[in-house]
């Protein structure tokens, strides 16, 4: 049975049993605990937690997942994969253990003709949580499993949670006995290679705290309702039903290996275990990398981008170790597209962009690999020649920081040469470099806070948003919240959260800032500071009470600041226009990957490598303003996701959409995006759009910034005033300002060069005076002193060399010190006769280094460096004098 058919049968079975079919969520969701979606239940987490009411009592999905913890094990075994598909059925307070067990058993054991998978019931086993007698009895009653094919297991095996505070519960797993040729008797407890887990049924009833029940710690509470979360591994079922030994030989994975065989001339499974590992790495990472790119990630050096870069670079290196030198990622991308697109059509429709990202990363890495490998080989050969066995951490860090080598690549290359790597030293240097980024990540990586106060308010129904048509709404205060707790009233000066039954105030989302405005009622006035959405259904207004007292149940009027809304609409519609212009100029692969807009301002991040030329930026700006001048109509269409895709609407990466989606069109198909923001009615209402600049925000990602409306006019007015002031000062017409400024700069550069020549000449002319100050120390002439401040770098080295030359054939040592920007710069130079006497410049540095807190070194004839303690120069001179035999 083909993999696509396995997915189809799963979905069809559960839809026929009253489950709502839900599309796979993006691999990128706004969850601070996850880099990637790693389980089928992630998109349903708010329903399990009770943070939002489930829109359906039952659901089914086939969720794409990526787990990155086992990247290093991929290829070494046939069990570890980074990308996989998890088929699941979910119950939100509807059926529980009995229903979950019955559905799983029926689908697995029903005949193929009856829509099932046709597994032999006599080869299926079940496991249950230690004290879950109910599940054990249900397996006997519903499935007819004998007691000797049901095993009790502890929390590590049969308790499920996400590894962070959140939902969890005991689980029951279904295993398939592959037969005695695959291992020993005794069920899953004895051998999980022979007895392969294919389905996990989680009876989700608990809320775990910081400590997991998997480790024996009690849950912190119960979920509001008992739920079911099950997961069937599509790939595992595929290789059982296809009669192969592992996932790498199934219909969707083996073609990638076949392509690698074709390109390399080597064969998978031919007895070369090292090659087999490489083939498996290629197959796994090609699928994972392409699926991650499809959801909007680009290679980079942080977080998701780093994982993606690591996957793609491991493919390239594995292929090169198979003997293939030419670029390969584009070819593997075509294979993944052809095999996976029946289930994921965007792999075909968005292929040009995906392939472009992969090709550019490969080009970058191939250049990196050539230069970095030479550096590594030189370092490794030197280490082995010196009889050592470990690559120092600072060299591993240099390979990462300068040449872009991920540490795992350095580890692999070192292992191939029989060396280890000082990982602790490497990671210490990485920690120093990334301290701020890591601190930021740590501050955001939190569990699920106590949101029970909002659950209670959600039970009264979501907030009705009226802001698409109205700027003011009569409302009722449903709840007041301070410090996470309900309060009955708020007095003047208090800052509290207000939940209304209806509101015209836009809550921050989709890159758009929340509205400013007021909430007023009899005897009370509140200023709205911020508006956020809880569970996408509840509008929470943070307010400052300006006067009076607010109480629950009070009738109020919520009003949007009209000027703010005008600017906000301009900013958001302007973002759509610039995005459409960007795609028109650069092509359809230049997709928005993030945005932020507020009244008068927008910024837009997009997937692109390399900066934009001034001509390109001007063209984008012109296309944007032409769209404004054309007064294009703005239309809003409500439809389902399928309808939006048929319209060609652009969905933004990482966004989560409801069953009904809102499509915003500007000029019909020219700009058509899924969007919940507030917009103008005609493009001319946006006003002028002025690009401020374009910059990099990471590898493969660029950012455009612009002003719109009156802010654009004010910006242009300032620019005009600046040019006019310059024209007045330079006494030339406005149009001649650039040429005159350029001419002045050239004159200034010429003058600076002449001054530099004069200064250098004067400096070298002082060499004779310095030689006259030489001290004779036991036959060696020593010139050691502090020269004027500000002489550093090349100048100090040139002066030291000139003094050395003037010492002629005498044994001599020259040590010159200077203070530059509060730090010490020094150069030590030796004559050839001094070197013949064993005086090497580089070896003299340690004699005085501690006095000036110095770093540096060099060759026997010349050494240079810097120090932090300028007050120690005198002591450094004395220390060098003592080292040469002076007093």
């Amino acid at each position: 049975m083909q993999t696509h058919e396995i997915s189809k049968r799963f979905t069809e079975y559960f839809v026929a049993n009253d489950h709502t079919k839900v599309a796979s969520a993006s691999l990128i969701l706004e969850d601070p605990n996850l880099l990637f979606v790693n389980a089928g239940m992630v998109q349903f987490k708010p329903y399990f937690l009770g943070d939002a009411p489930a829109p359906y009592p039952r659901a089914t999905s086939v969720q794409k997942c990526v787990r990155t913890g086992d990247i290093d094990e991929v290829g070494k075994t046939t069990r570890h994969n980074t990308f996989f598909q998890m088929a699941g059925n979910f119950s939100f307070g509807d059926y529980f253990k009995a229903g979950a067990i019955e559905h799983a058993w029926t689908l697995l054991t029903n005949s193929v003709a009856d829509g099932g998978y046709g597994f032999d019931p006599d080869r299926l086993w079940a496991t249950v949580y230690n004290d879950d007698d109910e599940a054990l009895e249900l397996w006997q009653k519903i499935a007819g499993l004998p007691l000797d094919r049901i095993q009790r297991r502890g929390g590590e095996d049969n308790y499920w949670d996400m590894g962070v505070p959140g939902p969890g519960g005991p689980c029951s797993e279904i295993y398939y006995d592959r037969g005695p040729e695959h291992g020993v008797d005794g069920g899953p407890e004895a051998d999980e290679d022979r007895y392969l887990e294919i389905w996990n049924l989680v009876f989700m009833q608990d809320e775990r705290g910081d400590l997991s029940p998997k480790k024996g710690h009690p849950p912190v509470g119960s979920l509001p309702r008992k739920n079911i979360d099950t997961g069937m591994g599509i790939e595992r079922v595929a290789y059982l039903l296809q009669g192969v030994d592992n996932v790498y030989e199934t219909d969707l994975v083996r073609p990638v290996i076949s392509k690698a065989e074709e390109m390399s001339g080597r064969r998978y499974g031919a007895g070369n275990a090292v090659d087999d590992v490489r083939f498996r790495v290629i197959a796994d990472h090609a699928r994972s990398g392409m699926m991650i790119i499809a959801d909007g990630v680009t290679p980079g050096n942080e977080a998701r981008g780093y994982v993606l870069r690591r996957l793609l670079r491991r493919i390239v290196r594995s292929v090169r170790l198979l003997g293939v030198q030419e670029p390969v990622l584009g070819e593997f991308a075509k294979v993944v597209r052809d095999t996976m697109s029946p289930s994921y059509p965007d792999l075909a429709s968005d292929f040009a962009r995906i392939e472009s990202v992969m090709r550019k990363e490969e080009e970058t890495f191939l250049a990196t690999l050539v230069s970095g490998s030479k550096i590594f080989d030189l370092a490794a050969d030197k280490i082995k020649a010196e009889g050592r066995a470990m690559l120092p951490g600072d060299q591993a860090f240099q390979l990462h920081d300068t040449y872009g080598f991920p540490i795992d690549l350095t580890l692999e290359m070192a292992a191939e040469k029989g060396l280890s790597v000082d990982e602790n030293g490497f990671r210490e240097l990485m920690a120093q470099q990334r301290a701020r980024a890591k601190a930021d990540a740590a501050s955001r990586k939190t569990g699920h806070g106590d949101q029970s106060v909002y659950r209670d308010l959600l039970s009264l129904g979501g907030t009705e948003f009226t802001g698409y048509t109205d700027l003011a709404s009569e409302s009722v205060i449903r709840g007041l919240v301070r410090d996470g707790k309900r309060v009955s009233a708020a007095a003047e000066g208090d800052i509290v959260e207000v939940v209304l039954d209806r509101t015209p105030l836009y809550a921050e989302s989709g890159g758009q800032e929340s509205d400013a405005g007021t909430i007023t009622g009899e005897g009370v006035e509140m200023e709205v500071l911020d508006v956020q959405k809880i569970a996408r259904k509840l509008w929470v207004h943070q307010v400052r009470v300006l006067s009076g007292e607010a109480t629950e149940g009070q009738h109020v009027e919520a009003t949007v600041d009209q000027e703010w809304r005008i600017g906000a609409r301009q900013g958001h519609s302007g973002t759509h226009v610039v995005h459409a212009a960007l795609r028109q100029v650069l092509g359809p692969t230049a997709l928005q990957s993030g945005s932020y807009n507020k009244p008068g301002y927008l910024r837009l991040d997009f997937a692109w490598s390399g900066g934009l030329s001034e001509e390109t930026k001007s063209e984008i700006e012109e296309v944007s303003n032409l769209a404004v001048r054309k007064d294009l109509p703005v239309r809003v269409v409500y439809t389902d996701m399928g309808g939006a895709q048929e319209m060609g609407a652009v969905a933004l990466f990482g966004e989560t959409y409801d069953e009904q989606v809102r499509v915003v069109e500007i000029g019909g198909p020219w700009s058509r995006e899924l969007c919940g923001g507030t917009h103008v009615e005609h493009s001319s209402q946006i006003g002028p759009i002025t690009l401020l600049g374009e910059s990099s925000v990471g590898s493969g990602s660029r950012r455009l910034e612009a002003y719109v409306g009156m802010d654009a006019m004010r910006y242009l007015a300032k620019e005009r005033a600046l040019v006019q002031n310059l024209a007045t000062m330079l006494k030339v017409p406005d149009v001649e300002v650039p040429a005159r400024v350029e001419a002045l700069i050239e004159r200034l550069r010429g003058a600076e060069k002449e001054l530099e020549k004069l200064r250098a000449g004067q400096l070298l002319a002082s060499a004779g005076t310095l030689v006259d100050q030489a001290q004779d120390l036991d036959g060696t002439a020593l010139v050691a002193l502090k020269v004027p401040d500000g002489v550093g770098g090349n100048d100090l080295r040139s002066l030291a060399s000139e003094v050395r030359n003037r010492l002629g054939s005498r044994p001599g040592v020259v040590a010159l010190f200077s203070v530059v920007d509060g730090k010490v710069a020094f150069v030590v130079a030796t004559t050839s006769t001094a070197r013949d006497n064993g005086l090497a410049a580089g070896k003299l540095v340690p004699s005085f280094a501690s006095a000036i807190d110095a770093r540096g070194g060099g060759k026997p004839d010349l050494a240079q460096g810097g120090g932090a303690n300028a007050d120690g120069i005198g002591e450094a001179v004395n220390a060098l004098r003592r080292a040469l035999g002076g007093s």
Side-chain angles (χ1 to χ4, degrees):
M1 187 180 295
Q2 298 298 292
T3 303
H4 295 306
E5 175 64 20
I6 294 169
S7 296
K8 182 173 176 247
R9 281 177 180 252
F10 188 94
T11 301
E12 288 179 344
Y13 172 84
F14 283 102
V15 168
N17 283 276
D18 301 322
H19 290 66
T20 298
K21 179 182 176 180
V22 179
S24 172
S26 167
L27 286 168
I28 317 302
L29 290 183
E30 290 189 9
D31 189 315
N33 305 297
L34 298 174
L35 278 179
F36 301 102
V37 168
N38 63 357
M41 58 73 64
V42 172
Q43 67 170 312
F44 303 113
K45 197 188 321 183
Y47 310 146
F48 289 129
L49 281 167
D51 291 340
Y56 24 67
R58 306 176 177 193
T60 185
S61 70
V62 178
Q63 174 66 47
K64 50 190 176 183
C65 302
V66 167
R67 292 182 183 169
T68 60
D70 293 329
I71 288 179
D72 293 328
E73 297 304 313
V74 170
K76 298 177 184 176
T77 75
T78 58
R79 295 179 57 189
H80 292 88
N81 299 109
T82 50
F83 173 80
F84 59 96
Q85 301 170 89
M86 188 62 71
N89 56 286
F90 309 92
S91 165
F92 309 108
D94 190 15
Y95 62 83
F96 198 49
K97 293 182 183 179
I101 290 172
E102 183 172 358
H103 283 309
W105 187 259
T106 301
L107 180 55
L108 286 175
T109 59
N110 268 6
S111 68
V112 173
D114 290 333
Y117 295 130
F119 280 102
D120 180 356
D122 294 334
R123 300 183 73 168
L124 296 178
W125 289 61
T127 62
V128 298
Y129 187 52
N130 268 336
D131 57 0
D132 195 347
D133 295 332
E134 180 186 5
L136 185 142
E137 292 170 3
L138 287 170
W139 279 115
Q140 291 177 287
K141 177 181 177 182
I142 294 171
L145 277 177
L147 267 176
D148 60 2
R149 294 221 311 274
I150 308 173
Q151 294 183 330
R152 297 179 186 266
R153 306 188 79 175
E156 287 291 342
D157 295 298
N158 276 64
Y159 192 94
W160 186 94
D161 60 42
M162 293 191 67
V164 294
C171 60
S172 186
E173 297 171 329
I174 304 172
Y175 289 80
Y176 178 78
D177 181 359
R178 301 168 68 199
E181 66 273 22
H182 293 282
V184 300
D185 291 335
E189 281 193 335
D191 190 337
E192 287 198 9
D193 282 325
R194 170 176 171 174
Y195 300 90
L196 189 74
E197 179 197 340
I198 57 175
W199 203 320
N200 185 14
L201 295 80
V202 179
F203 309 131
M204 197 175 294
Q205 59 194 41
D206 302 328
E207 185 165 359
R208 66 152 276 185
D210 293 329
L211 302 176
S212 174
K214 292 171 73 71
K215 306 288 187 181
H217 302 284
V220 296
S222 297
L223 295 176
R225 296 187 300 177
K226 292 183 177 180
N227 308 297
I228 287 295
D229 158 29
T230 80
M232 186 192 81
I234 293 288
E235 281 77 10
R236 286 196 176 184
V237 171
Y239 79 72
L240 291 175
L241 294 181
Q242 291 173 20
V244 296
D245 286 335
N246 56 68
V247 67
Y248 293 99
E249 298 174 17
T250 58
D251 60 316
L252 298 189
V253 185
R254 188 59 170 84
V256 182
I257 293 179
S258 297
K259 173 56 73 172
E261 288 177 319
E262 175 189 324
M263 299 176 78
S264 67
R266 302 190 193 182
R267 291 290 170 263
Y268 177 67
N272 186 328
V274 175
D275 276 359
D276 286 351
V277 170
R278 293 165 182 159
F279 279 118
R280 289 193 286 265
V281 166
I282 293 165
D284 175 86
H285 291 3
R287 292 209 315 160
S288 301
M290 193 156 173
M291 299 301 291
I292 291 170
I293 294 169
D295 278 351
V297 179
T298 55
N301 291 326
E302 297 289 341
R304 299 180 181 109
Y306 177 72
V307 172
L308 174 59
R309 170 160 285 169
R310 187 176 173 191
L311 293 170
L312 296 182
R313 293 189 171 190
R314 288 192 83 203
I315 297 172
V316 175
R317 178 157 164 75
S318 296
V319 171
R320 288 175 71 85
L321 291 173
L322 290 173
V324 182
Q325 301 301 312
E326 63 268 20
V328 296
L329 290 185
E331 294 303 311
F332 292 139
K334 292 173 184 174
V335 177
V336 176
R337 173 198 63 191
D338 295 343
T339 55
M340 298 292 291
S341 58
S343 291
Y344 303 100
D346 55 320
L347 295 180
S349 62
D350 199 19
F351 182 72
R353 181 188 65 83
I354 297 169
E355 184 189 33
S356 173
V357 171
M358 295 179 78
R359 285 186 183 278
K360 288 172 182 173
E361 178 62 18
E362 183 169 24
E363 290 169 5
T364 301
F365 184 51
L366 287 176
T368 289
L369 202 56
V370 171
S371 55
S373 293
K374 290 178 181 177
I375 300 298
F376 173 84
D377 289 340
L378 288 172
D381 292 344
K382 181 179 179 182
I383 289 167
K384 295 179 79 170
E386 294 172 351
R388 295 183 288 134
M390 178 181 286
L391 183 76
D394 60 345
Q395 291 183 317
F397 178 75
Q398 181 191 23
L399 283 167
H400 167 85
D401 197 45
T402 306
Y403 299 100
F405 271 41
I407 183 62
D408 67 296
L409 176 56
T410 302
L411 290 168
E412 288 180 12
M413 294 173 67
E416 289 165 6
K417 287 186 174 287
L419 299 174
S420 61
V421 178
D422 177 12
E423 290 188 69
N424 290 335
F426 167 82
R427 298 194 188 286
E428 183 177 342
L429 291 168
M430 285 292 292
Q432 293 171 12
Q433 186 190 61
R434 298 179 176 176
R436 287 181 62 188
K438 289 195 173 191
D440 178 62
S443 70
R444 289 184 286 107
K445 190 173 180 66
T446 57
H448 302 277
D450 182 10
Q451 295 192 334
S452 58
V453 62
Y454 302 118
R455 292 176 197 158
D456 294 341
L457 291 167
L458 269 168
S459 66
L460 302 175
T463 303
E464 178 189 354
F465 178 61
T466 63
Y468 291 136
T469 57
D470 300 321
L471 293 180
S473 290
E474 297 295 328
S475 309
V476 175
I477 297 178
R478 279 187 175 165
L480 298 167
V481 179
R482 183 191 291 119
D483 299 328
K485 296 181 180 179
R486 291 274 290 273
V487 294
S488 59
E492 183 175 326
D494 288 346
I495 294 179
V496 295
E497 293 176 347
V498 176
V499 176
L500 304 175
D501 64 337
R502 59 203 307 264
T503 182
L505 289 141
Y506 185 81
E508 180 183 356
S509 61
Q512 180 178 332
E513 266 199 6
S514 61
D515 278 333
T518 59
I519 300 174
T520 58
E522 187 175 347
V524 65
E525 181 180 5
M526 295 171 274
E527 175 191 7
V528 177
L529 306 175
D530 186 28
V531 190
Q532 296 292 327
K533 275 190 278 190
I534 299 294
R536 293 158 53 195
K537 294 183 181 298
L538 201 68
W539 267 242
V540 178
H541 308 72
Q542 185 187 59
V543 304
R544 178 186 288 109
V545 182
L546 300 178
S547 63
E549 182 180 66
T551 59
E552 282 197 2
Q554 187 174 16
H555 288 263
V556 293
E557 182 177 56
T559 306
V560 179
D561 182 308
Q562 186 171 353
E563 285 301 313
W564 178 280
R565 174 63 71 81
I566 290 172
R569 294 166 73 198
Q570 290 175 318
H572 205 151
S573 297
T575 305
H576 285 223
V577 165
V578 173
H579 186 205
L582 187 73
R583 300 183 72 204
Q584 179 176 320
V585 174
L586 298 182
T589 61
L591 281 174
Q592 177 181 326
S593 56
S595 69
Y596 168 74
N597 55 80
K598 63 180 182 178
Y601 169 84
L602 68 89
R603 72 169 185 241
L604 185 149
D605 297 344
F606 59 101
W608 199 256
S609 59
L612 304 184
S613 67
E614 291 300 320
E615 292 78 8
T616 299
K617 288 186 283 187
S618 294
E619 186 178 358
I620 293 167
E621 185 176 67
E622 183 171 351
V623 170
S624 299
N625 282 295
L626 283 173
V628 171
R629 191 184 70 178
K630 288 178 182 178
D631 195 28
L632 300 173
V634 178
R635 186 171 78 108
V636 174
V637 178
Y638 290 90
T639 182
D640 58 19
M641 197 64 183
Q645 290 171 340
E646 288 178 10
M647 293 171 65
V650 176
L652 301 184
F653 298 126
E655 288 288 329
T656 303
Y657 299 100
D658 294 322
E659 291 299 304
Q660 186 185 61
V661 295
R662 184 173 183 260
V663 179
V664 176
E665 291 182 343
I666 301 178
W670 184 72
S671 171
R672 186 176 278 154
E673 297 187 23
L674 274 66
C675 182
T678 59
H679 288 274
V680 298
E681 296 169 356
H682 293 269
S683 64
S684 61
Q685 294 172 342
I686 296 171
I689 297 173
T690 300
L691 292 188
L692 302 178
E694 181 262 347
S695 60
S696 170
V697 285
S699 177
S701 186
R702 310 295 298 181
R703 171 172 292 171
L704 282 173
E705 296 180 88
Y707 284 138
V708 299
M710 288 303 299
D711 287 84
M713 293 289 290
R714 295 184 187 104
Y715 175 78
L716 292 173
K718 288 180 181 177
E719 293 285 294
R720 181 179 61 198
L722 176 62
V723 172
Q724 289 174 342
N725 287 339
L726 284 172
T728 300
M729 286 188 288
L730 297 172
K731 298 179 181 179
V732 296
D734 292 2
V735 294
E736 294 182 15
V737 166
R740 176 56 65 90
V741 169
E742 185 177 0
L744 288 173
I745 290 173
E746 285 301 314
R747 286 175 60 187
L748 180 61
R749 286 173 178 165
E752 287 175 342
K753 287 180 181 178
E754 290 301 317
L755 286 171
E756 179 64 23
K757 288 179 182 179
L758 290 171
R759 193 182 63 80
Q762 291 174 341
L763 189 64
L764 293 177
S766 68
T769 303
L770 298 181
V771 169
D772 292 341
Q773 299 179 47
Q775 293 179 279
D776 187 281
L777 299 177
D778 198 20
T780 298
L782 172 65
V783 178
L785 46 81
K786 177 180 179 297
V787 300
D789 292 350
V791 180
N794 293 333
D795 290 339
L796 195 61
R797 186 167 59 249
S798 297
L799 180 59
S801 297
E802 180 66 18
V803 173
R804 176 180 61 186
N805 293 339
R806 296 198 182 201
L807 289 173
S809 60
R810 299 161 61 189
V813 175
V814 180
L816 303 182
F817 301 83
S818 179
V819 177
V820 181
D821 296 329
K823 302 292 180 67
V824 180
F826 69 83
V827 173
V828 179
T830 56
T831 63
S832 60
T833 50
R835 293 193 295 275
D836 291 340
N837 293 337
L839 296 176
K843 292 184 178 179
L844 289 172
V845 172
S847 67
F848 63 80
S850 61
I852 56 173
D853 190 14
R855 304 180 306 280
K859 298 178 181 179
D861 63 326
L862 190 141
Q864 67 184 89
N869 180 19
D871 294 333
I873 291 177
E875 174 55 29
V877 170
N878 292 332
L880 181 57
R881 186 181 295 116
R882 290 194 294 271
L884 293 175
S887 57

